[in-house]
Amino acid sequence: MSVAQETSGRLLRSTINRRSHPKNSMRIAILEDDPHQLSHLMQTLEHALIAGDSIVTIIAFSNGTAMQQALRSETFDLLILDWNAPGLTGIDLLQWLRKWQTDQVPVLMLSALTSEQDVVRALDLGADDYIVKPFRPMELRARVQRLMARRRPVAKSYRERFGRCEFDHLSQSVRIHPAPGDDETAERPTLTDREFRLALTLFQHMGDIVSRSHLLESAGYSDQEVSSRTLDSHIYRLRGKLGLEAEKGLSLRAVYGRGYRLESSQQDCT
């Protein structure tokens, strides 16, 4: 596996699951300045996650300041932070994240520091888990899978339901069930494959901001491949097809400088 480093301190590696009907899209950010440690870490994550029904994107940073800048506009499902990274250290980045970011993304700290005081400090600042370097691959996989499952439980079948909206991964279709007490039949809006993936990602992150890049990747695009207006056009059509309007209990809003957030005003929509 080769990883090319950019001058910004950002390292990029995207892996797309080969299965025809992925159930999830996941985004992981890593802060690690040692190329050998990074390569070992990414290979371990691939074995832990790529074998499932997911599209997984891993974005790595060699500098904490570069990662902080990205986190101002980007969203992820998991962060893995090296304590002693250059620029802004992993522990300082964690402290900033928990103070200024409302999205409680899971954070796994990696460090060669082994004292009880260091572990407690990281956990007190908001880390969800702590692993000492050199890490043991099987342990890391288990801990990452646990954090990801806590963030978003893995669908146990090819059907996933959010309130009245039921997603069928095999047929790439959505069924909108009538509200309790209504005599109407279920609606079956016609969605393209990209629209289905976008809608699924938004529902899986209900209540959270999902960045524009995150949404584009979930739909099978890359940042270099399309303009930002492409995403806005997809969102416009999804609003109409799925009835994502406040008066219907769901609201899809743009968040300036970041992306979109799907919110529910009714308990049965989550």
Side-chain angles (χ1 to χ4, degrees):
M1 177 178 59
S2 62
V3 181
Q5 182 168 1
E6 301 176 6
T7 57
S8 63
R10 177 173 175 139
L11 306 153
L12 178 62
R13 163 87 178 183
S14 296
T15 304
I16 298 178
N17 186 269
R18 300 303 179 189
R19 299 198 183 194
S20 57
H21 302 290
K23 295 180 185 177
N24 302 289
S25 66
M26 292 186 290
R27 227 168 176 243
I28 299 172
I30 301 173
L31 176 60
E32 174 58 74
D33 65 309
D34 186 318
H36 299 291
Q37 290 276 351
L38 177 62
S39 178
H40 183 34
L41 179 57
M42 293 179 73
Q43 288 176 358
T44 301
L45 289 174
E46 284 187 334
H47 285 116
L49 300 171
I50 307 304
D53 299 325
S54 300
I55 298 173
V56 179
T57 300
I58 300 174
I59 300 178
F61 300 83
S62 60
N63 182 288
T65 304
M67 188 175 192
Q68 181 190 43
Q69 186 63 30
L71 287 171
R72 296 181 189 276
S73 59
E74 296 292 335
T75 56
F76 297 92
D77 296 301
L78 176 67
L79 304 181
I80 300 177
L81 306 180
D82 175 30
W83 186 304
N84 289 318
L88 192 67
T89 65
I91 196 70
D92 289 336
L93 182 59
L94 170 65
Q95 187 170 16
W96 169 83
L97 182 76
R98 293 310 191 213
K99 183 176 181 179
W100 298 108
Q101 294 281 358
T102 57
D103 180 21
Q104 293 297 305
V105 57
V107 173
L108 173 64
M109 288 296 301
L110 281 178
S111 176
L113 301 175
T114 61
S115 74
E116 183 179 10
Q117 290 84 353
D118 291 323
V119 175
V120 170
R121 183 187 175 196
L123 295 176
D124 283 346
L125 287 175
D128 296 274
D129 209 340
Y130 189 103
I131 291 185
V132 175
K133 291 181 175 180
F135 65 84
R136 295 175 292 187
M138 291 181 65
E139 179 187 1
L140 179 68
R141 291 172 199 163
R143 291 178 182 268
V144 166
Q145 288 169 342
R146 181 183 63 86
L147 289 175
M148 297 294 286
R150 194 173 72 188
R151 170 78 167 180
R152 189 173 69 241
V154 177
K156 296 181 179 180
S157 72
Y158 279 95
R159 289 186 179 179
E160 200 168 351
R161 184 161 174 169
F162 306 88
R164 296 192 293 116
C165 293
E166 183 179 2
F167 288 76
D168 187 315
H169 297 272
L170 288 177
S171 62
Q172 300 275 282
S173 64
V174 176
R175 184 178 183 182
I176 305 175
H177 296 272
D182 286 354
D183 295 329
E184 300 176 2
T185 58
E187 299 178 41
R188 294 179 179 272
T190 301
L191 303 181
T192 66
D193 288 348
R194 293 190 192 275
E195 288 171 350
F196 176 86
R197 294 178 189 175
L198 277 173
L200 181 61
T201 299
L202 287 165
F203 274 86
Q204 288 174 334
H205 294 81
M206 179 78 72
D208 294 331
I209 298 171
V210 187
S211 68
R212 302 180 72 88
S213 295
H214 194 159
L215 288 168
L216 287 170
E217 287 167 8
S218 72
Y221 290 113
S222 68
D223 283 341
Q224 296 77 23
E225 191 178 6
V226 295
S227 68
S228 62
R229 297 183 66 179
T230 299
L231 176 61
D232 296 330
S233 297
H234 281 306
I235 293 294
Y236 176 80
R237 289 192 291 270
L238 277 180
R239 279 198 180 103
K241 291 182 178 182
L242 299 182
L244 303 180
E245 303 169 358
E247 56 267 25
K248 294 185 179 181
L250 290 169
S251 178
L252 180 55
R253 301 178 183 275
V255 180
Y256 180 75
R258 300 204 68 190
Y260 287 90
R261 174 163 38 205
L262 180 64
E263 296 177 299
S264 168
S265 59
Q266 298 177 5
Q267 286 188 336
D268 66 345
C269 291
T270 58

